[in-house]
Amino acid sequence: MMFTWTGPWGGPWDGVGAVLWSFFWIVAFVAYLFALFAVISDLFRDHTLNGWWKAVWIAFLVFVPFLTVLVYLVARGRGMQERAAHQAERFLGSAEPPRPFVGNAHPAEEIRTAKALLDEGTITPAEFEVLKGRALQQ
């Protein structure tokens, strides 16, 4: 008679099987957390949803989290994608192109750059005079 030790998992889930099974559940839990935070952020991003409905969704997320995430993704998934695309478009559309670093340029070049900023409306006439004075002091 041969003695075999069965671990706490018992049967075929000893050793490598237990490690793989644990990895599966860890990955599933992390994916669930990503979905949960995506749902919560979408709830607060949606301005068309009434505050009470947001509270109802949050309450269901607290008491029946897994099922609520699935229902939310099925029921509001398309709108969720549209709101995320709209926010990304708004964020990328507001980015201004970087301005070149002037550094220790010639005073005439600094005054020309300050005049361009004044013409764009980025700086006020008082700020233009300060920049012009600094450039002429060099």
Side-chain angles (χ1 to χ4, degrees):
M1 183 164 137
M2 184 178 209
F3 176 75
T4 59
W5 180 76
T6 58
W9 293 80
W13 297 110
D14 283 343
V16 176
V19 171
L20 291 176
W21 192 244
S22 297
F23 279 143
F24 168 77
W25 283 111
I26 290 170
V27 169
F29 181 70
V30 169
Y32 165 73
L33 287 178
F34 271 102
L36 178 68
F37 288 119
V39 165
I40 291 172
S41 67
D42 184 64
L43 274 172
F44 290 106
R45 185 183 308 139
D46 186 9
H47 298 291
T48 62
L49 192 62
N50 187 352
W52 287 104
W53 281 111
K54 290 179 184 181
V56 168
W57 277 110
I58 294 292
F60 273 104
L61 281 171
V62 169
F63 294 112
V64 192
F66 186 72
L67 183 64
T68 306
V69 167
L70 288 178
V71 169
Y72 189 89
L73 291 175
V74 169
R76 298 179 50 90
R78 182 179 307 273
M80 189 175 177
Q81 185 266 337
E82 290 169 357
R83 283 184 291 278
H86 178 68
Q87 183 181 12
E89 178 184 314
R90 199 174 61 199
F91 177 74
L92 293 176
S94 67
E96 295 181 13
R99 298 197 176 180
F101 177 69
V102 178
N104 292 328
H106 192 270
E109 183 64 33
E110 288 188 19
I111 293 172
R112 190 175 311 124
T113 304
K115 178 67 173 153
L117 291 174
L118 177 66
D119 292 341
E120 289 177 6
T122 306
I123 62 173
T124 64
E127 291 170 325
F128 172 73
E129 292 300 325
V130 169
L131 290 174
K132 186 170 116 177
R134 286 183 190 162
L136 293 176
Q137 287 177 357
Q138 288 183 354

